[in-house]
Amino acid sequence: MHPPNETAAPPPGSHSRDLHWMERALELARMGTALASPNPRVGCVLVSPDGRCVGEGWHSYDQRDHAEIVALRAAGEQARGATAYVTLEPCSHTGRTGPCALALQHAGVARVVVATEDPNPRVAGNGLRMLREAGIAVDCGTGLHAARRLNEGFARWIQTGMPFVTQKVALSLDGRIAPQPGLPGQGPFWITSEESRFTVQQMRHAADAVLTGIGTILADDPLLTDRSGAPRRRNLLRVILDSTLRLPLAAQVVQSADGDLVVCTVSQDEERVALLRGLGVEVQQFSPGVHGRLPLASVLEWLGQRQILDVMTECGSHLNGALLAQGLVDRCTCFVAPVILGAHALPAWGARDAADAAAAGNLSGMVSPNTPTEASESIQLPQARWSASGPDACCSALLRDPWPAEPVD
């Protein structure tokens, strides 16, 4: 599947050599983006004692074989005595395939370097233990942070059944996401740059579902499709939260529905439900939550049951605020543009009414217990990372780490 690279020479020194080959394994793992889910993205490189890559592979769900098996097949007899660099702990159980830890042992691999342990409770250190008991040298932790970032969705889902939620927000310097509503001649308004919008397409490609509210559909009539051009095994699931089924039949999302559009509602208007279903729209009805609204946690739990690991939200002010207030956001990624929209423009996070405002007290629950805060309405983001995105600035912050606190090794 992936021919070995006979010419690549790692830099001298044991630690630098491990980093070099783990970076290659991570590069391979990224090839599984949108192709491995609901399994994790994993890459593997086999390196001979004299420093040559003799086999490599990555996992694609439809191809069944795990990355280690693909690499072992490419290496053949050259796997004996080799070092395996794997971005995730080799599995120790039989699922769709046999245990990779056992396959590495039978192939005669002498050493295994693992980026991170598997968050799957069925594995969780057992693969490392199996390798060590077979006399194979094992090192864990090289490339840990990059490997964990790659599989945040899998870590969250495999332990809780809930998807990992990334809240994407494009906003102005003064924290606004759209101009004042109701202005004459107003249409869709781009706040951020082409570079930021390109990055958003990459984020959509990495997600299993994109979620928004009916307000965004009515205001902007978006398509919400993955336009990255990269391959994916499942269409990006487009999820619309619409309590009263106001979704226009002529909306772009409806007209382009192809088994990839779900409307979540508490409405019992069966005539309207039938109309939407007749246009190829899946309608999922929920029991009303507080104040008769859609129960957001139940929607996410239902998505998890559909093997949706990563959900990206692209919402308006009220839904942004509700998701955050209810503690349902795992990562917040903001694209901040060098523009000021003014006090009458829509804020990035808002409350519809007193009930929403009261729920904002839950914001403090999103903060790490080790993070001191004075007021419940603020959230400290100690893990925030800033980067440039054309003329914009991108801030991505992890609000809740889905991974176990400490590696097994």
Side-chain angles (χ1 to χ4, degrees), residues 316-406:
S317 177
H318 300 149
L319 193 49
N320 278 344
L323 288 163
L324 200 60
Q326 293 181 36
L328 300 174
V329 178
D330 296 289
R331 177 177 289 279
C332 186
T333 299
C334 297
F335 295 88
V336 185
V339 61
I340 294 174
L341 295 181
H344 296 293
L346 292 177
W349 295 273
R352 284 174 292 195
D353 50 31
D356 275 358
N362 291 331
L363 289 177
S364 59
M366 291 300 298
V367 184
S368 164
N370 298 320
T371 303
T373 56
E374 294 294 329
S376 63
E377 62 267 24
S378 65
I379 300 179
Q380 303 298 316
L381 304 174
Q383 298 191 55
R385 297 290 182 268
W386 288 88
S387 59
S389 181
D392 308 328
C394 177
C395 177
S396 188
L398 188 65
L399 277 68
R400 173 172 47 211
D401 192 343
W403 286 85
E406 296 293 337

Side-chain angles (χ1 to χ4, degrees), residues 7 11-12 23 26 57 62 79 94 105 113 126 132 151 165 187 203 218 236 244 248 303 321 367 376:
T7 60
E23 286 173 1
L26 286 164
D62 290 339
T94 299
Q105 175 188 340
V113 180
N126 291 326
R132 289 187 175 114
N151 283 308
V165 177
M203 292 173 64
L218 295 176
L236 178 67
T244 58
L303 288 171
V367 184
S376 63

Side-chain angles (χ1 to χ4, degrees), residues 3 31 46 99 117 119 132 183-184 190 218 240 274 297 351 354 393:
M31 294 181 182
L46 290 169
E117 77 282 0
R132 289 187 175 114
L183 295 177
W190 295 111
L218 295 176
I240 313 299

Side-chain angles (χ1 to χ4, degrees), residues 10-370:
S14 176
H15 181 64
S16 59
R17 180 171 62 246
D18 286 351
L19 285 174
H20 172 86
W21 290 117
M22 187 59 74
E23 286 173 1
R24 174 57 183 163
L26 286 164
E27 182 181 344
L28 290 166
R30 294 185 186 100
M31 294 181 182
T33 299
L35 297 173
S37 181
N39 284 349
R41 289 177 279 181
V42 183
C44 177
V45 178
L46 290 169
V47 179
S48 66
D50 61 355
R52 293 177 299 111
C53 172
V54 295
E56 58 181 31
W58 54 276
H59 175 61
S60 168
Y61 187 86
D62 290 339
Q63 299 299 316
R64 298 182 69 90
D65 284 339
H66 290 187
E68 299 95 321
I69 305 304
V70 177
L72 287 171
R73 185 179 297 117
E77 285 300 316
Q78 295 182 89
R80 190 164 301 278
T83 296
Y85 294 88
V86 194
T87 59
L88 187 69
E89 175 185 0
C91 62
S92 56
H93 64 285
T94 299
R96 297 170 76 222
T97 62
C100 289
L102 192 60
L104 291 167
Q105 175 188 340
H106 289 166
V109 170
R111 178 174 177 244
V112 177
V113 180
V114 175
T116 182
E117 77 282 0
D118 195 327
N120 185 346
R122 297 181 65 186
V123 182
N126 291 326
L128 302 181
R129 192 175 304 111
M130 183 182 291
L131 292 168
R132 289 187 175 114
E133 289 175 353
I136 298 172
V138 176
D139 292 295
C140 185
T142 301
L144 181 143
H145 296 295
R148 288 189 165 193
R149 176 69 189 271
L150 198 58
N151 283 308
E152 289 174 333
F154 177 76
R156 172 88 167 128
W157 178 77
I158 200 66
Q159 296 174 95
T160 67
M162 296 283 282
F164 184 91
V165 177
T166 298
Q167 185 173 83
K168 187 276 295 181
V169 184
L171 67 162
S172 62
L173 281 176
D174 53 343
R176 309 289 166 161
I177 59 172
Q180 178 182 353
L183 295 177
Q186 186 170 303
F189 181 83
W190 295 111
I191 291 178
T192 52
S193 64
E194 290 186 10
E195 291 89 342
S196 293
R197 298 200 293 276
F198 174 83
T199 301
V200 169
Q201 288 299 323
Q202 304 308 304
M203 292 173 64
R204 284 187 189 174
H205 179 65
D208 297 316
V210 59
L211 181 149
T212 194
I214 184 60
T216 297
I217 300 297
L218 295 176
D220 299 336
D221 192 22
L223 268 173
L224 297 175
T225 51
D226 173 4
R227 297 189 289 280
S228 66
R232 58 184 309 134
R233 64 173 295 265
R234 300 187 291 183
N235 285 341
L236 178 67
L237 186 66
R238 298 175 289 173
V239 182
I240 313 299
L241 305 188
D242 184 5
S243 294
T244 58
L245 290 183
R246 293 184 290 156
L247 179 63
L249 302 183
Q252 288 196 89
V253 288
V254 175
Q255 294 299 310
S256 60
D258 184 23
D260 60 353
L261 179 63
V262 176
V263 176
C264 298
T265 187
V266 296
S267 172
Q268 298 300 315
D269 185 343
E270 297 302 330
E271 182 179 348
R272 187 71 175 173
V273 169
L275 281 173
L276 288 167
R277 287 175 175 164
L279 292 172
V281 179
E282 180 180 350
V283 180
Q284 182 66 28
Q285 293 167 294
F286 291 83
S287 298
V290 178
H291 303 291
R293 293 176 184 159
L294 263 171
L296 299 179
S298 296
V299 170
L300 292 174
E301 183 180 5
W302 176 76
L303 288 171
Q305 292 169 358
R306 291 183 60 141
Q307 298 189 325
I308 298 297
L309 279 59
D310 285 279
V311 172
M312 175 181 170
T313 70
E314 299 191 52
C315 306
S317 177
H318 300 149
L319 193 49
N320 278 344
L323 288 163
L324 200 60
Q326 293 181 36
L328 300 174
V329 178
D330 296 289
R331 177 177 289 279
C332 186
T333 299
C334 297
F335 295 88
V336 185
V339 61
I340 294 174
L341 295 181
H344 296 293
L346 292 177
W349 295 273
R352 284 174 292 195
D353 50 31
D356 275 358
N362 291 331
L363 289 177
S364 59
M366 291 300 298
V367 184
S368 164
N370 298 320

